[in-house]
Amino acid sequence: MTARQPRTIPQPKTFHVTSFGCQMNVYDGERMAELLSAEGMTAVGEREAADLVVLNTCHIREKATEKVYSDIGRLRRDDGTNPLIAVAGCVAQAEGAEIMARAPQVRVVVGPQAYHRLPAMVASAALGGRETETDMPAEAKFAALPKRRVSTPAAFLTIQEGCDKFCTYCVVPYTRGAEIARPYADLVDEALALVDGGAREITLLGQNVNAWAGEDPAGGAIGLAGLAAELAKIPDLARIRYTTSHPADMDDALIAAHGENPKLMPFLHLPVQSGNDRVLRAMNRSHSADSYLKIIERARSARPDLAVSGDFIVGFPGETEAEFADTLSLIDAVGYAQAYSFKYSPRPGTPAATMDGQVPPEVMDDRLKRLQAHLDRDQLAFNQASVGRRCTVLIERRGRQPGQWLGKSPWLQSVHCTDDLALGSLVEMDLIDAGPKSLTGRRV
Ligand code: SAH
Ligand code: SF4
Ligand code: F3S
């Protein structure tokens, strides 16, 4: 028999948050850390040293979900006891009851729209309870969160949550709930706090970030372009980015903003998933390959140096070789600066999981390999074409080698340099060398 966790344990004094999945989870992880710090707990760098471990989980693909259970197992200490374990994020939302049943050492399950309650749940779990909270929607959470206290040179700001699109393969509408947009005034406040804390770049986040809609102080209706224009007025904020956008919500104003708002970076992450219209319809994507290409074309005419990024799924149920080849053609037509690509993963409760024509794993492996060869080729070409460019690089952190810094170009490329620089500075550089994943810069 293994040693049992005592029913009651001392209130945790130290904590560690691990976030998996998308940037919104990274943002949520930062907010949870701020909440716990505000309660007097101390963040520690190592999980092993933490009284409380928060696993902020992702449910998007099967592999991501399995990771939660193996991570829970790995938290057990040599004496058989566990830290106080809280499972947060999208797996908590989707499989909260199952986690509680499968993993008795988990004391807290909290969904992505309910984590403002985390400190209270932890306190009561330490007294011997097991707490589950998976309420939606997100408005209450944002209202209950403390003011931002920590910032990094490049910071995230969630402006929109949830998804009403219901792509047939995707769990997000179920784990994050319906689309909500945070109010304009709250976002301006949070952006100001981030900039006060040292942020020079803010990435506006949302599952459908370009579906954001709000009202400016005069009561006028604005969208993402209007919000970005307003944030651009913050003097010390140098760069604005946004992700992830949906083709159906790329309105004229946002496309035009890429040519008009100098702080909006020349980068567009616009997932397409497939280049074949039958597959796109079966996915319930409300765009065609052609309408997607038109958006890219218009965005590029607004901002000729725009770098385009995308997401792809290979092996969606029923995808034939010829349909897959359409995706390769679309990739060749766009010329992506970077991209994410995935094998289709059937997710419980989604319509695609029970569709006919599930594609065998070895076919998916082969398609993914071929797809990534096209994407890698284009990414390297994009990086190589950047050599000789002069641009501003935001210095975000130390590199691995002594004296090395890592920053980002306007086109979201990682740039290494060894000049004597300061964290958070915006440095004029010449890009002098390129590899598949990064570039080398030299201060002008
Ligand atoms: N809201 C964003 C991103 C959602 S999740 C969008 O619509 O683009 C990020 C990416 O994960 C998706 O773009 C998609 O490419 C991938 N993805 C989502 N569900 C998946 C599944 N069941 N199997 C494989 N990839 C998936
Ligand atoms: Fe998922 Fe589609 Fe919504 Fe993106 S738009 S989160 S892929 S359902
Ligand atoms: Fe994963 Fe949830 Fe983000 S499922 S990708 S953490 S919205």
Side-chain angles (χ1 to χ4, degrees), residues 1-297:
M1 259 199 55
T2 54
R4 274 195 52 209
Q5 184 83 342
R7 249 184 80 71
T8 63
I9 50 175
Q11 291 292 335
K13 294 195 179 64
T14 55
F15 70 90
H16 183 91
V17 181
T18 314
S19 291
F20 307 93
C22 63
Q23 287 145 323
M24 303 195 66
N25 254 18
V26 174
Y27 174 87
D28 291 341
E30 288 171 3
R31 303 307 308 262
M32 285 189 255
E34 284 170 336
L35 272 167
L36 297 168
S37 302
E39 296 292 310
M41 283 182 237
T42 307
V44 291
E46 300 287 313
R47 280 191 201 178
E48 291 70 24
D51 301 330
L52 164 68
V53 173
V54 181
L55 299 176
N56 189 24
T57 62
C58 173
H59 198 240
I60 200 83
R61 284 168 291 273
E62 195 181 353
K63 269 215 186 104
T65 303
E66 279 166 4
K67 202 165 169 3
V68 184
Y69 291 98
S70 64
D71 262 44
I72 291 171
R74 248 183 272 137
L75 288 174
R76 195 213 303 227
R77 303 170 179 134
D78 291 342
D79 65 359
T81 61
N82 288 289
L84 200 162
I85 303 172
V87 178
C90 290
V91 182
Q93 188 68 37
E95 299 184 6
E98 212 178 313
I99 294 167
M100 281 299 198
R102 261 176 79 176
Q105 64 273 51
V106 172
R107 294 269 177 109
V108 172
V109 162
V110 62
Q113 312 305 13
Y115 65 73
H116 53 294
R117 297 209 51 244
L118 180 63
M121 296 171 77
V122 165
S124 111
L127 296 173
R130 296 185 86 204
E131 301 280 319
T132 301
E133 183 68 72
T134 48
D135 263 6
M136 297 214 190
E139 283 99 336
K141 170 182 77 184
F142 286 115
L145 292 176
K147 202 175 150 72
R148 304 290 325 239
R149 304 193 312 170
V150 272
S151 195
T152 43
F156 289 144
L157 170 51
T158 294
I159 66 166
Q160 181 280 342
E161 274 213 55
C163 181
D164 298 338
K165 301 280 192 299
F166 289 93
C167 300
T168 52
Y169 50 81
C170 184
V171 292
V172 171
Y174 312 98
T175 62
R176 293 270 172 171
E179 284 179 11
I180 67 118
R182 294 182 64 193
Y184 170 87
D186 295 6
L187 297 174
V188 174
D189 280 356
E190 192 169 327
L192 285 167
L194 288 168
V195 173
D196 266 355
R200 311 299 310 277
E201 171 181 303
I202 292 181
T203 301
L204 306 173
L205 298 180
Q207 270 92 19
N208 282 288
V209 72
N210 54 345
W212 184 87
E215 263 182 18
D216 63 17
I222 55 167
L224 183 56
L227 178 64
E230 202 48 43
L231 296 180
K233 293 179 189 159
I234 302 175
D236 288 335
L237 180 64
R239 295 173 155 194
I240 301 167
R241 303 182 184 276
Y242 60 95
T243 199
T244 294
S245 31
H246 191 285
D249 296 316
M250 280 307 290
D251 61 20
D252 295 347
L254 185 55
I255 291 173
H258 277 282
E260 291 162 358
N261 183 343
K263 291 189 180 179
L264 192 61
M265 290 294 98
F267 188 91
L268 175 62
H269 178 64
L270 196 63
V272 64
Q273 318 299 355
S274 164
N276 175 269
D277 288 344
R278 190 205 64 79
V279 174
L280 287 169
R281 270 194 305 277
M283 287 177 164
N284 194 33
R285 298 285 298 185
S286 50
H287 57 83
S288 62
D290 228 40
S291 68
Y292 176 88
L293 290 170
K294 289 237 163 63
I295 295 167
I296 302 291
E297 196 185 299

Side-chain angles (χ1 to χ4, degrees), residues 312-336:
F312 298 89
I313 296 175
V314 301
F316 184 81
E319 183 188 70
T320 65
E321 175 58 30
E323 289 168 343
F324 169 69
D326 287 344
T327 305
L328 296 181
S329 308
L330 180 135
I331 289 172
D332 295 348
V334 171
Y336 287 91

